[in-house]
Amino acid sequence: MRSLSFRSLRIRLIAIVLLIDCIAAALTTTVVIMNARTNTRREIASSMQLADALVGDTIRLLRDMPPAILLRSIDLHFQPVRHIKISVIDAEGRSVAALASSSDKATDDTDIHDAPEWFTRLIAPPIERNRFQIVASGQKIGTVVITSEPSDEINEAWNYVRALVLTAFCLNAAVLFVLFILFGRILEPLTRLVSGLKHLEDRNYAVRLPSPSMSELSIIADHFNKTAEALAVAYQSNRSLNVKLLTAQDEERRRTALELHDEVGPCLFTLEAGATAIARMSKDRPELTRLHDRALDVIDIVSQIQSINRRLLDRLRPMALGQIPLKDCLIKLIVEFDSTDIAPEFEQTIGELQESYGAVIDLTIYRCVQEGMFNAVRHAQAQKIVLTIDQKDALKRQFVFVQLSDDGIGLRRPFKPGVGLAGMRERVEALSGAFNLESSSSGTILTVILAADGGDVPVEAFEGSVVS
């Protein structure tokens, strides 16, 4: 349907040709009408001159006849004249005879169509009337009236114009149909170009255009192919760099987490053990009451620091990732979230997942679920959260679909993504995945799609898909 839209170049070219045809038809019709008007006036003038001469000669030839016979026999000497009506009127104004004009005969011709009134007004000249007195024995006995009758000439002109218009219409309709087909074939490379650009928009840089036969379009196709090739190289280089960057960041976080776990953790444990020993030794000794209280304070502070350390370790890199299957890590995360005081009503559906999709993908899925749940509570004020994670097959490949929806108030407008959402989007896009966030006053839906093999996620893999 889009190709038949007026925005289509093909239709616009046809419209231009049609406009030119309409202008040419209007000019041609104007010229034809002007010529018909001129010819009609000439024909009428010639017929009037002929009728004048005929009537004048007839009256002179018959003027010696008796008056009673003259009026009844005068019409026998008149022959019908084209475009003219001749009437004989006696001295009292009564019509004696009216000869049939050529227009009367034209009405009997089934091939002649009467012209419409608007066409007649355009063509018809003013009606002319000439009168000749009939005098016998020096006395006026009647009058011959010659009246112009242009209707037959106008009808002939109308039939000519009508045939011309019908012929031109059929011819132009055939030409426009042929041009529509030809324009479609000529512009087909542009359609392929649009399709190629759509592929580039969808990050399919492997698309290439065949070289058209027309040199101008061939140049465009060659430049398109070179651009696609350059984009493919740049995209692969950028993607490799992003993966390396994510890997380096995750590795740095892992090392930091290990140092916190292996260095800070034992120190805190030793400090807690020492404070516990001091508290135990100073218990029930009045002179060491203050020392006992301080030891208990140290134990509380160490406990708080240990909690903070565990949260930092989890934020830097969940220690369970890579040690247990991804599904179990996600379930553990959900259970810990559901046990907090801020947790709303929670529904989860986790399908069959691989044990691991690689460290980078596993951590990305984990972070998206973690950040999405906390954002739903902190920012959207959700009362219910629904989480769905599943692996699906599409285009002979496997993709991991993650969808998190809530019934909160949505994101405030104008929306400015925070560090958490921006980090999620950057991680997903660095892995050539799909990240979509839809927010309204009735809730927010976060959808993340990643390829199980770590490759690109084409539009066809998730366009119109609903994670269920």
Side-chain angles (χ1 to χ4, degrees):
M1 294 297 294
R2 183 177 297 179
S3 61
L4 297 181
S5 170
F6 188 74
R7 297 176 63 183
S8 167
L9 178 60
R10 184 182 187 183
I11 297 300
R12 291 190 178 188
L13 290 175
I14 293 295
I16 291 173
V17 175
L18 183 60
L19 178 62
I20 294 174
D21 278 349
C22 291
I23 295 174
L27 293 175
T28 302
T29 304
T30 301
V31 172
V32 169
I33 290 176
M34 292 179 65
N35 287 336
R37 177 187 295 179
T38 301
N39 292 334
T40 300
R41 297 193 177 196
R42 289 176 179 173
E43 284 283 335
I44 295 299
S46 176
S47 298
M48 289 294 290
Q49 291 177 359
L50 177 61
D52 288 349
L54 175 62
V55 170
D57 292 341
T58 301
I59 292 176
R60 282 193 297 272
L61 290 173
L62 300 178
R63 61 185 176 182
D64 295 331
M65 295 181 63
I69 301 175
L70 179 59
L71 289 179
R72 288 191 295 270
S73 61
I74 193 170
D75 61 314
L76 298 176
H77 294 78
F78 292 157
Q79 296 297 326
V81 180
R82 183 175 172 83
H83 317 313
I84 295 299
K85 181 178 182 181
I86 301 176
S87 301
V88 179
I89 302 174
D90 61 14
E92 297 179 358
R94 294 188 301 268
S95 176
V96 175
L99 298 182
S101 67
S102 59
S103 60
D104 298 327
K105 296 182 179 181
T107 55
D108 299 332
D109 193 342
T110 57
D111 294 333
I112 300 297
H113 298 273
D114 291 339
E117 184 179 354
W118 62 268
F119 187 82
T120 301
R121 288 199 300 268
L122 289 176
I123 300 299
I127 299 299
E128 298 182 22
R129 285 186 177 84
N130 292 339
R131 299 176 181 273
F132 287 85
Q133 303 295 329
I134 303 175
V135 179
S137 302
Q139 190 176 30
K140 177 183 175 183
I141 63 173
T143 305
V144 177
V145 180
I146 304 174
T147 305
S148 62
E149 286 259 338
S151 58
D152 51 351
E153 185 69 21
I154 294 174
N155 290 339
E156 289 181 6
W158 165 249
N159 280 269
Y160 172 76
V161 172
R162 183 170 177 270
L164 180 64
V165 169
L166 290 176
T167 303
F169 176 80
C170 294
L171 180 62
N172 278 279
V175 170
L176 289 176
F177 177 76
V178 173
L179 287 178
F180 184 82
I181 301 299
L182 292 178
F183 284 157
R185 297 181 63 86
I186 293 173
L187 297 176
E188 186 177 356
L190 293 181
T191 304
R192 290 198 296 266
L193 175 62
V194 172
S195 177
L197 292 174
K198 184 67 168 60
H199 281 287
L200 292 183
E201 182 183 353
D202 297 336
R203 296 182 299 184
N204 178 15
Y205 303 117
V207 64
R208 297 293 183 270
L209 297 181
S211 181
S213 57
M214 289 176 286
S215 59
E216 295 84 354
L217 296 179
S218 178
I219 294 174
I220 295 176
D222 291 342
H223 281 286
F224 174 89
N225 293 335
K226 292 178 181 178
T227 301
E229 185 176 354
L231 286 174
V233 173
Y235 176 74
Q236 291 300 329
S237 176
N238 186 57
R239 186 176 184 278
S240 177
L241 180 62
N242 286 333
V243 172
K244 290 179 180 179
L245 180 61
L246 281 179
T247 304
Q249 290 176 346
D250 292 340
E251 182 63 23
E252 181 65 26
R253 289 172 179 170
R254 187 186 68 82
R255 287 197 298 267
T256 303
L258 284 175
E259 290 180 3
L260 288 173
H261 183 270
D262 297 340
E263 300 294 337
V264 177
C267 292
L268 291 174
F269 176 77
T270 302
L271 183 59
E272 182 184 22
T276 302
I278 294 173
R280 187 169 53 249
M281 289 185 296
S282 60
K283 186 178 181 181
D284 299 329
R285 296 181 63 179
E287 70 276 11
L288 298 177
T289 300
R290 294 182 62 186
L291 179 62
H292 179 74
D293 293 340
R294 296 296 178 270
L296 293 178
D297 291 340
V298 171
I299 293 173
D300 290 339
I301 293 173
V302 170
S303 178
Q304 294 178 16
I305 294 175
Q306 286 176 332
S307 297
I308 294 172
N309 189 52
R310 284 193 295 270
R311 288 198 299 269
L312 285 174
L313 288 174
D314 187 62
R315 295 295 294 176
L316 286 171
R317 180 177 176 85
M319 301 304 295
L321 275 178
Q323 306 300 320
I324 62 175
L326 173 62
K327 183 175 181 179
D328 295 338
C329 289
L330 294 172
I331 292 175
K332 179 177 178 293
L333 172 64
I334 294 169
V335 170
E336 291 177 353
F337 174 78
D338 200 27
S339 63
T340 61
D341 296 334
I342 62 173
E345 182 183 350
F346 199 92
E347 291 184 8
Q348 65 175 28
T349 302
I350 301 181
E352 293 298 324
L353 303 176
Q354 298 179 17
E355 287 194 4
S356 175
Y357 297 97
V360 177
I361 296 179
D362 288 353
L363 185 56
T364 299
I365 295 173
Y366 187 92
R367 292 300 187 206
C368 289
V369 174
Q370 183 183 49
E371 192 68 32
M373 290 190 304
F374 280 99
N375 282 340
V377 176
R378 292 172 183 169
H379 303 296
Q381 303 174 18
Q383 300 300 315
K384 182 179 180 180
I385 299 177
V386 178
L387 173 65
T388 305
I389 306 175
D390 198 6
Q391 177 179 297
K392 292 189 176 183
D393 295 335
L395 303 177
K396 299 180 180 180
R397 294 171 62 194
Q398 293 179 332
F399 300 90
V400 180
F401 289 75
V402 180
Q403 188 176 80
L404 193 72
S405 60
D406 62 65
D407 60 352
I409 61 175
L411 301 174
R412 297 177 181 177
R413 304 292 179 179
F415 170 63
K416 295 181 180 180
V419 176
L421 282 176
M424 276 195 292
R425 184 184 293 274
E426 289 174 1
R427 290 190 69 92
V428 172
E429 293 181 350
L431 296 174
S432 302
F435 182 93
N436 185 50
L437 184 65
E438 298 178 2
S439 180
S440 66
S441 59
S442 59
T444 302
I445 300 177
L446 170 66
T447 304
V448 173
I449 306 175
L450 294 169
D453 56 5
D456 297 345
V457 177
V459 175
E460 294 84 353
F462 63 90
E463 200 170 46
S465 298
V466 177
V467 181
S468 58

